[in-house]
Amino acid sequence: MSQRVVVVGVGRVGLPLALYLADHGHEVTGLDVDPSHVESINAGRMPFLENGAQEVMDRVRATGRFRASVTTEPVGEAEVVILTIGTPVDEHLNPVFNALEKVLASIGPRLRKGQLLILRSTVSPGTTEYVRRHLEATTALKIGQDLFLAFCPERIAQGHSFKELPKIPQLVGALDDESRARAAAFFRPLVETVLESDARSVEIAKLFCNVYRYIDFAIGNEFMMLADQQERDIYEVLRLVNSGYPRGGLKSPGFTGGPCLYKDGFFLVDRTPFPDLLTTAWKINESVPAYLIAGLRERMGSLEGKRVLVAGLAFKRDIDDARNSLAYKAIKVLKRYGAEPLEH
Ligand SMILES: NC(=O)c1ccc[n+]([C@@H]2O[C@H](COP(=O)([O-])OP(=O)(O)OC[C@H]3O[C@@H](n4cnc5c(N)ncnc54)[C@H](O)[C@@H]3O)[C@@H](O)[C@H]2O)c1
């Protein structure tokens, strides 16, 4: 059934989702506070690289089922509103809540009876409860009776949205049965599997997925340093560990950054008295650029005046997103040693 859907925050997550929904028959408006972003979308240009996105954009624009807007009026006309704004950490690595507060302040007055509000950004445990409290305090709407609220996190790997959106089980968490049922019904025609639970379990599940991956990469980096200490090549050791061994699967070392993995652990360690594994993973991953450049200095001597090519500035391969990329940390360290980094 075609519905009017507003996706609030058409960035790396929101735009592919908005296009996917429009491609599946919904009437979609993407809202964003960035006018240049909205302009680019309305001119039919993908503002960033995402496999297959330009084709989907061309297709849905031809149907008239997709447009972008800087104003919040479309929220009032929608049946479903999905929040996909960024949820960063600040310079002290504390989760920043005011982005969510701001978006609720801007769309809150437009929300009306019967709508389904889906939180899709990655959030701290308890955020869905916070949103319910906030909306019940600032509007006349009661969650579960007037307005239906669910947390349905995005779990795609950037660059692979269109391949993964239909395949990845969609987690649906809510604070009441009616909201959960409505959110599950919305996603069921769009994905192969819907898994329903309470909101907090889903909030934690999303964070555990990312943090597990981040720790897994930290083990790869730690093992690189241990192999180095034994004067052995980590890739040779990985070949021995992973070849044909059913309990292998060690990750290769590398720069582990990006806007998600880097920060999501801090949503969990915020209030815990036992954060060591998570924060140690962060320390290991963040130390890799300096570690590699120390190795370079050992082999080459002083880097003063030497030109060093840093190739690959995005935080992972085949995308154009350099947010929280450790390549920039490497460039900073190189400059500190007097080298002349060339960026590509
Ligand atoms: N990037 C990923 O691969 C990925 C994967 C899964 C989950 N997530 C999560 O999804 C969320 C979004 O991440 P992203 O990478 O798409 O971020 P992004 O910065 O690319 O996109 C967020 C968009 O929201 C807009 N925005 C901010 N405040 C707004 C407001 N008040 N009203 C309207 N628009 C507003 C911004 O201008 C931006 O275009 C984050 O919580 C992130 O952790 C990201």
Side-chain angles (χ1 to χ4, degrees):
M1 184 184 55
S2 172
Q3 290 184 291
R4 277 165 300 178
V5 182
V6 168
V7 177
V8 185
V10 273
R12 304 269 174 172
V13 156
L15 183 53
L17 176 73
L19 295 172
Y20 183 77
L21 293 173
D23 208 26
H24 283 73
H26 292 296
E27 297 279 330
V28 183
T29 306
L31 288 195
D32 208 288
V33 285
D34 180 345
S36 65
H37 205 67
V38 167
E39 204 181 287
S40 157
I41 295 169
N42 280 337
R45 285 190 312 272
M46 268 306 287
F48 48 81
L49 276 181
E50 176 67 40
N51 284 321
Q54 189 63 54
E55 292 92 296
V56 183
M57 185 181 258
D58 296 345
R59 196 157 64 228
V60 298
R61 273 170 45 83
T63 66
R65 282 199 303 268
F66 174 70
R67 71 193 177 95
S69 165
V70 281
T71 66
T72 57
E73 278 97 358
V75 170
E77 292 147 24
E79 277 99 32
V80 182
V81 179
I82 306 179
L83 302 189
T84 50
I85 55 160
T87 48
V89 288
D90 65 18
E91 70 273 31
H92 309 294
L93 301 173
N94 289 320
V96 173
F97 295 112
N98 64 3
L100 193 59
E101 279 161 13
K102 265 196 206 152
V103 80
L104 291 176
S106 72
I107 66 159
R110 304 225 178 250
L111 292 173
R112 57 171 176 78
K113 240 180 157 156
Q115 287 179 319
L116 171 63
L117 175 64
I118 294 175
L119 312 179
R120 198 163 177 82
S121 306
T122 306
V123 295
S124 298
T127 298
T128 313
E129 288 152 65
Y130 162 79
V131 171
R132 175 174 66 183
R133 262 197 319 277
H134 184 93
L135 289 175
E136 290 190 344
T138 55
T139 69
L141 302 165
K142 184 129 184 63
I143 303 297
Q145 285 177 23
D146 305 317
L147 183 71
F148 303 94
L149 172 68
F151 176 62
C152 308
E154 183 58 79
R155 298 201 294 163
I156 52 97
Q158 214 169 297
H160 304 285
S161 299
F162 294 97
K163 209 166 64 187
E164 294 197 345
L165 274 167
K167 296 272 174 216
I168 291 178
Q170 178 62 56
L171 308 185
V172 172
L175 304 167
D176 62 89
D177 291 343
E178 186 58 28
S179 294
R180 184 169 28 252
R182 288 184 184 226
F186 175 71
F187 280 107
R188 232 171 255 124
L190 298 166
V191 300
E192 284 177 9
T193 315
V194 171
L195 296 177
E196 299 176 44
S197 189
D198 66 279
R200 201 176 277 240
S201 296
V202 175
E203 288 166 349
I204 296 170
K206 164 64 198 177
L207 292 171
F208 281 6
C209 292
N210 279 8
V211 174
Y212 174 75
R213 211 164 139 68
Y214 191 67
I215 293 171
D216 211 16
F217 289 134
I219 295 171
N221 284 327
E222 173 82 2
F223 284 178
M224 165 189 72
M225 296 174 198
L226 292 174
D228 253 11
Q229 215 178 28
Q230 302 294 328
E231 298 178 345
R232 289 297 176 273
D233 179 353
I234 183 62
Y235 294 103
E236 172 59 6
V237 183
L238 286 177
R239 185 179 73 83
L240 301 174
V241 172
N242 289 341
S243 300
Y245 183 55
R247 284 167 294 285
L250 284 181
K251 295 284 185 293
S252 297
F255 283 1
T256 308
C260 290
L261 296 194
Y262 152 87
K263 72 162 164 73
D264 286 350
F266 294 104
F267 288 124
L268 284 171
V269 302
D270 209 19
R271 278 164 294 173
T272 177
F274 39 84
D276 297 8
L277 180 62
L278 278 60
T279 51
T280 300
W282 182 79
K283 281 193 243 172
I284 294 169
N285 286 332
E286 287 289 311
S287 73
V288 170
Y291 179 83
L292 293 180
I293 290 161
L296 205 60
R297 292 178 75 224
E298 248 170 55
R299 287 189 192 107
M300 300 186 61
S302 167
L303 297 178
E304 192 76 44
K306 296 213 164 87
R307 281 178 299 159
V308 182
L309 176 65
V310 180
L313 299 175
F315 76 85
K316 65 173 188 175
R317 74 174 162 218
D318 297 336
I319 58 167
D320 61 353
D321 190 350
R323 290 178 295 174
N324 299 101
S325 165
L326 288 182
Y328 291 96
K329 199 167 196 169
I331 289 165
K332 226 195 263 181
V333 178
L334 285 166
K335 282 184 179 160
R336 210 169 56 208
Y337 289 121
E340 291 168 24
L342 305 169
E343 304 171 18
H344 179 69

